[in-house]
Amino acid sequence: MTGILNCLQNLLDRSRAFDFLGPLALRLYLVPIFWMAGTKKLENAGLDCASNGPCSFAPKQDIIDWFGNAEWGLGLPFPELMAYLAAYTEYFGAILLLVGLAVRWIAVPLMITMVVAAVTVHWSNGWLAIAEGSGIYATERTQGAVERLDRAKEILQEHANYSWLTENGSLVILNNGIEFAATYFIMLLALFFIGAGKYFSLDYWIARKWRNTGES
């Protein structure tokens, strides 16, 4: 029995030769999330900005208003500054994560962005990102959302082609809780400690170059 366990442990140890796959997967998973979040906040900042008009890279006015308005927005101080910080952090953060440059450094402001989003946008909605009627994270809010969803399904089943509407997935109601923000924070926290990973990151090759220069 001990021999089998040792053999299995040796196999696990050998798998560390592929440990670069972990941080690479985390980075590539997060890239489109922060890219979409950043470009939605900036004027003409997508890959096709030239065809949409001048690439101004300034936050949209409605985003600034949303950051500052306490009645229907976040009610944060210095909304223009906050909009710039959030948009630029997400936009350039996505690029840095993609190429694996300064990953541990950019993970810090991205984590702060997730904390701010969780506290100001999602906290009052509870944990769940998608509303569920039961379970340890269910609340009166999510239970009410599920009741509305059931009623919506009944209406669609009666008056619409329900099988076509749900052909590619079930209907759900977004609860907009902190689940996604917390998940992204944990992924960024892992990247902060383990770095960008070997081979597929500029951080690795820059550090390797410096080490070789120092040895010479």
Side-chain angles (χ1 to χ4, degrees):
M1 185 65 181
T2 302
I4 295 175
L5 291 176
N6 288 334
C7 181
L8 293 174
Q9 185 61 51
N10 289 335
L11 289 175
L12 286 176
D13 291 340
R14 291 173 184 172
S15 70
R16 290 176 178 169
F18 303 96
D19 60 4
F20 63 91
L21 293 176
L24 177 63
L26 289 174
R27 285 165 41 212
L28 295 181
Y29 186 97
L30 291 169
V31 165
I33 293 168
F34 290 117
W35 175 262
M36 289 186 290
T39 53
K40 285 182 179 179
K41 292 182 177 70
L42 295 170
E43 294 282 1
N44 301 330
L47 295 175
D48 58 345
C49 64
S51 61
N52 291 333
C55 303
S56 64
F57 291 97
K60 299 174 182 177
Q61 187 58 48
D62 59 340
I63 295 295
I64 296 174
D65 295 339
W66 179 66
F67 268 86
N69 193 292
E71 295 182 0
W72 50 266
L74 302 181
L76 296 175
F78 313 109
E80 186 170 1
L81 174 61
M82 297 295 286
Y84 268 97
L85 290 175
Y88 281 7
T89 296
E90 292 168 341
Y91 181 84
F92 291 107
I95 297 173
L96 292 175
L97 287 173
L98 178 63
V99 299
L101 178 62
V103 166
R104 296 190 67 198
W105 288 99
I106 194 58
V108 175
L110 285 173
M111 283 191 289
I112 294 173
T113 301
M114 291 300 95
V115 171
V116 173
V119 173
T120 60
V121 180
H122 309 292
W123 189 270
S124 61
N125 300 334
W127 172 261
L128 294 173
I130 305 298
E132 295 180 3
S134 60
I136 60 174
Y137 295 114
T139 62
E140 292 183 4
R141 170 189 170 89
T142 60
Q143 292 169 354
V146 171
E147 292 177 3
R148 293 180 177 86
L149 177 61
D150 291 339
R151 179 56 181 150
K153 289 179 179 179
E154 293 175 1
I155 295 173
L156 291 173
Q157 288 169 350
E158 182 177 355
H159 300 286
N161 188 344
Y162 187 76
S163 60
W164 177 79
L165 289 172
T166 58
E167 182 178 1
N168 294 322
S170 302
L171 296 177
V172 298
I173 290 184
L174 181 67
N175 183 59
N176 209 25
I178 67 173
E179 182 178 358
F180 287 157
T183 301
Y184 303 150
F185 177 90
I186 293 170
M187 296 172 73
L188 289 164
L189 184 64
L191 284 174
F192 173 75
F193 285 110
I194 65 179
K198 296 183 293 186
Y199 308 131
F200 293 93
S201 69
L202 291 179
D203 282 348
Y204 170 77
W205 293 108
I206 291 172
R208 183 170 176 173
K209 176 66 175 178
W210 282 353
R211 284 196 299 268
N212 293 339
T213 302
E215 292 172 358
S216 62

